[in-house]
Amino acid sequence: MEAAQDRPCSRGNIGCLETVASGAALIRELAGQGVEVASTTELLQLVADGDPQATTLIRTAGRHIGTALSVVVNFFNPQAVALGGALAAAEPLVAAVRGVLYERCLPLATSDLEITTTVTGRDAGLLGAGLTALRHNLPTAPVPQEESASA
């Protein structure tokens, strides 16, 4: 990702979306602007309170996420894009993602595209993995049939 430039991510790779669109990245950016924030929860509270620096950063993060997702949406033409994680609770981020997707994607790909947030919040990935494991590893019980009344 161009915006990430030469910044290493937590795995040591260069140019990852995480370096410009994660809670940690936004907290570091705010610290560089003289605003000390201890957690993503505090960052989200600043956004909810309308803090201009935090809101601008979260919108920029949403544009970066939207840019990355636009490639996926144009290629796969999904029915829905569900945003998860703590930052997805910020409406300015979701709005920015939505705006970039409508701007960069083909009308055919976005005409019926649903862009939403996960209902399960931060644990969406974990819950989905657990549900998948259960579906693949639990035997399915046969559906009992009603016994005939005549004997």
Side-chain angles (χ1 to χ4, degrees):
M1 163 156 271
E2 185 177 325
Q5 299 169 352
D6 294 331
R7 301 176 199 174
C9 72
S10 62
R11 294 178 314 277
N13 293 326
I14 302 294
C16 295
L17 184 60
E18 170 191 348
T19 64
V20 293
S22 67
L26 299 181
I27 289 170
R28 275 193 306 276
E29 186 67 30
L30 279 173
Q33 296 177 14
V35 179
E36 292 300 321
V37 177
S39 67
T40 303
T41 303
E42 286 183 28
L43 168 67
L44 293 172
Q45 188 58 53
L46 284 175
V47 172
D49 292 343
D51 179 84
Q53 289 171 295
T55 302
T56 297
L57 285 176
I58 205 116
R59 282 187 183 133
T60 302
R63 285 192 291 276
H64 292 313
I65 294 167
T67 299
L69 284 174
S70 67
V71 175
V72 176
V73 170
N74 275 324
F75 187 78
F76 288 107
N77 193 18
Q79 293 178 334
V81 170
L83 303 170
L87 294 183
E91 183 54 37
L93 180 128
V94 176
V97 170
R98 185 177 286 118
V100 170
L101 287 177
Y102 285 124
E103 177 185 313
R104 290 181 169 243
C105 294
L106 299 169
L108 179 65
T110 58
S111 64
D112 294 324
L113 180 65
E114 180 183 356
I115 303 166
T116 187
T117 57
T118 59
V119 180
T120 53
R122 302 178 74 144
D123 295 330
L126 182 61
L127 292 170
L131 182 59
T132 300
L134 287 172
R135 285 186 178 158
H136 288 288
N137 293 311
L138 288 179
T140 56
V143 178
Q145 303 221 352
E146 292 183 35
E147 292 184 32
S148 175
S150 61

